[in-house]
Amino acid sequence: MYPAELVKPMREDLTNVGFEELHTTDAVESALAKEGTTLVVVNSVCGCAAANARPGARMSLQNAKRPDHLVTVFAGVDKEATDKAREFMIPFPPSSPSMALFKDGELVHMLERHHIEGRPAELIAENLMDAYNDHC
């Protein structure tokens, strides 16, 4: 577990643009049971989350089409919620950061850590925007 004061600004990177934090397994199940499209960001304290994942997720929201629901879990902080979110991402192995787009509860697009690490935020945003254009 990371100290709350350490992760607060990392959480706010997403909540300040409309992401809802999910802290429990029930919250994850409820979020992914909603109709429409849901973007799930598995947040992390790592450098690629700060430099690439969170900025890419924020930039992707500048698209004409965007998910109906924006949610996030924090790996290493909200363990049960993160584990539950990852169950919905099978067959992809757990990774953080990662991003998954669901449509009516079905996984339709996945960005794993290896798609994020070392790639500019703009490229991540473009990847997500393409997924939004296809599924939202």
Side-chain angles (χ1 to χ4, degrees):
M1 295 294 282
Y2 297 101
E5 62 274 5
L6 173 73
V7 299
K8 184 177 187 273
M10 298 173 202
R11 290 181 183 274
E12 290 173 347
D13 268 353
L14 296 175
T15 59
N16 286 344
V17 296
F19 281 82
E20 174 190 355
E21 289 185 291
L22 306 177
H23 301 286
T24 67
T25 58
D26 288 344
V28 171
E29 288 175 347
S30 176
L32 292 176
K34 291 180 180 175
E35 287 186 23
T37 51
T38 303
L39 178 65
V40 179
V41 174
V42 178
N43 204 347
S44 173
V45 298
C46 72
C48 65
N52 313 86
R54 291 190 300 267
R58 287 191 316 265
M59 281 187 247
S60 76
L61 301 178
Q62 302 307 309
N63 197 46
K65 290 184 177 181
R66 49 183 280 180
D68 300 310
H69 313 285
L70 305 169
V71 299
T72 182
V73 294
F74 209 114
V77 178
D78 299 316
K79 182 179 176 2
E80 292 82 14
T82 302
D83 289 347
K84 179 53 75 176
R86 287 175 170 160
E87 286 178 22
F88 286 92
M89 297 173 192
I90 292 172
F92 295 95
S95 68
S96 54
S98 61
M99 301 176 201
L101 183 65
F102 294 84
K103 185 170 187 173
D104 298 328
E106 179 185 340
L107 179 64
V108 293
H109 187 75
M110 184 76 189
L111 281 173
E112 298 174 85
R113 180 185 177 104
H114 69 89
H115 297 120
I116 296 168
E117 192 172 30
R119 289 180 173 77
E122 294 81 7
L123 188 61
I124 294 161
E126 286 177 22
N127 181 297
L128 289 171
M129 287 185 230
D130 287 344
Y132 302 163
N133 291 338
D134 287 344
H135 302 287
C136 295

